[in-house]
Amino acid sequence: MRHVIALDVGGTGMKAALVGARGELLHRARRATGRERGPDAVVEGILDFAAELRAYGVEHLGEPAAAAGVAVPGIVDEQHGVAAYAANLGWRDIPLRDLLGDRLGTPVALGHDVRTGGLAEGRIGAGKGADRFLFVPLGTGIAGAIGIAGRVESGAHGFAGEIGHIVVRPGGSACPCGQRGCLERYASAAAVSEAWARACGDPDADAADCARAVLSGDPNAVRVWQEAVDALADGLLTALTLLDPGALIIGGGLAEAGETLFTPLREAVERRITFQKQPQILPAALGDTAGCLGAGLLAWDLLTTTDRTEVTP
C-alpha cells in the first residue's frame, strides 16, 4: 500500500505515523526525543526512528514509504532543508532533510512544527475550506501560521507568523527575544499560569486552574483572565489588519478552556474592529496530532508537485 512517513519532533517526544494516500493513519508510534543525551543523539534518534518506520512499511504494507515529512521546532530553513536552531534541542544548522533522505532513500520535506500544524488545521482541520487563515497556538509561547490558498507562508527568512512577538504592551515585561511587552508575555498559557500563581499565592497554580476559578466567579481569576484576553485581542487585531484572514484558529493549551476563552475573546476582538472584517474565531480541531498530520501532508505534496528541484535530497 502506497504511503508516506510523517514525523513530528518535539522537545521531549516524537510522534510518527505512516499515512495513506487518502489521509488514513496506517500505523502510529511514539518515542522520546532524548534531548538529555545531547543534540547529536537527538539527530541519530530521529534517523533511527525514521528507518524503523520505513522497515515497518516494508514488512506490513508491502513497500517502503514513497516520501517522508518531518516537522521540527525552532528556526527552520525549509527551502534548504536545514534545522537551523532549536534551543530546547540544542542543535544548530543540521541538514536534516539530506540526512533523512540518505537514510531512507526517498524524498523528504522538512517543516517548522507550528507551520506544519497550521497546514493540517487549514486543510483538514478547523480551517478546512478557508482560503486565508491564521493558526495561533497558545502554549508555553505563542506562534502563528499564515495559511494562503492551501499552503503556509514561511516568509523570506523563515520567521513569518511570529505573532507572539508583536509588542502589545510597550515598555512592559521583558521577553527573551530582546523586546519588552511582547504578546506571549501576557497571553500564553505560561504567562497566564505565572500571573495566576502570583494572584492566588499558589506557586503550583496554572492556567487551567485559573480557567476553573473564572467559572466559579473568583474576581482575581476574572481579572487575570481578562487581562490575557485583552492582550490577545490586541495582538490579533494587528494580525487582522495586516493579513485579513477569513478564519482565526486558536489552539494550544489555553484553548482547552473552551468557551471560557472563546466567548470573551470573540467579544474583545469585535470591540476593537473598526474597518476590519470580523473573522471566524475557531478552536483548533486536531489537537496534538496536527504536527504529525501536517508532516504527512508535506510528504504527499512532494509526490504531487512537478518541480522538485528544491525539495528532493
Side-chain angles (χ1 to χ4, degrees):
M1 181 178 292
R2 198 163 192 240
H3 62 280
V4 299
I5 293 170
L7 183 57
D8 178 19
V9 179
T12 58
M14 296 184 281
K15 296 181 286 289
L18 300 182
V19 184
R22 294 185 298 276
E24 63 272 33
L25 297 177
L26 305 172
H27 172 65
R28 285 189 278 189
R30 291 178 180 251
R31 175 179 288 187
T33 303
R35 63 179 179 178
E36 69 280 356
R37 294 182 288 119
D40 291 341
V42 170
V43 172
E44 193 58 37
I46 293 169
L47 299 178
D48 288 345
F49 194 20
E52 289 176 16
L53 293 163
R54 181 186 187 279
Y56 184 96
V58 171
E59 180 178 355
H60 295 277
L61 302 176
E63 61 180 282
V70 185
V72 298
I75 300 171
V76 183
D77 182 343
E78 292 157 327
Q79 181 178 1
H80 297 100
V82 175
Y85 175 69
N88 59 354
L89 295 177
W91 65 28
R92 286 184 181 272
D93 298 324
I94 305 297
L96 197 55
R97 186 182 67 199
D98 288 349
L99 292 172
L100 280 163
D102 291 342
R103 180 69 68 93
L104 298 174
T106 61
V108 175
L110 182 69
H112 180 271
D113 56 354
V114 172
R115 289 194 289 269
T116 302
L119 178 68
E121 284 288 353
R123 283 200 200 169
I124 61 177
K128 186 176 181 180
D131 185 56
R132 300 286 192 278
F133 69 88
L134 178 64
F135 171 58
V136 181
L138 308 174
T140 303
I142 298 178
I146 302 166
I148 304 172
R151 65 180 183 85
V152 172
E153 174 60 42
S154 60
H157 307 97
F159 298 131
E162 289 291 347
I163 186 174
H165 297 290
I166 289 175
V167 174
V168 294
R169 300 292 181 266
S173 298
C175 181
C177 79
Q179 300 184 116
R180 301 188 73 89
C182 288
L183 175 61
E184 71 174 39
R185 298 299 303 138
Y186 297 90
S188 63
V192 174
S193 294
E194 291 172 11
W196 178 234
R198 289 194 302 269
C200 72
D202 179 358
D204 296 323
D206 62 14
D209 296 323
C210 185
R212 286 189 287 269
V214 169
L215 287 174
S216 71
D218 184 304
N220 278 332
V222 171
R223 174 185 56 78
V224 167
W225 195 259
Q226 192 60 50
E227 287 174 356
V229 167
D230 286 339
L232 181 57
D234 288 340
L236 291 176
L237 184 69
T238 297
L240 294 182
T241 305
L242 291 173
L243 303 173
D244 187 27
L248 286 173
I249 305 167
I250 310 296
L254 211 59
E256 293 176 7
E259 287 306 312
T260 303
L261 173 67
F262 284 94
T263 295
L265 179 60
R266 292 184 185 108
E267 293 171 353
V269 171
E270 187 172 7
R271 286 196 303 271
R272 286 161 172 75
I273 282 177
T274 54
F275 67 89
Q276 303 90 344
K277 294 295 184 182
Q278 174 88 0
Q280 289 183 289
I281 300 179
L282 306 168
L286 302 176
D288 69 355
T289 66
C292 193
L293 291 169
L297 292 172
L298 289 179
W300 281 113
D301 284 353
L302 284 181
L303 300 175
T304 56
T305 184
T306 57
D307 179 9
R308 301 182 184 176
T309 57
E310 293 182 344
V311 294
T312 53

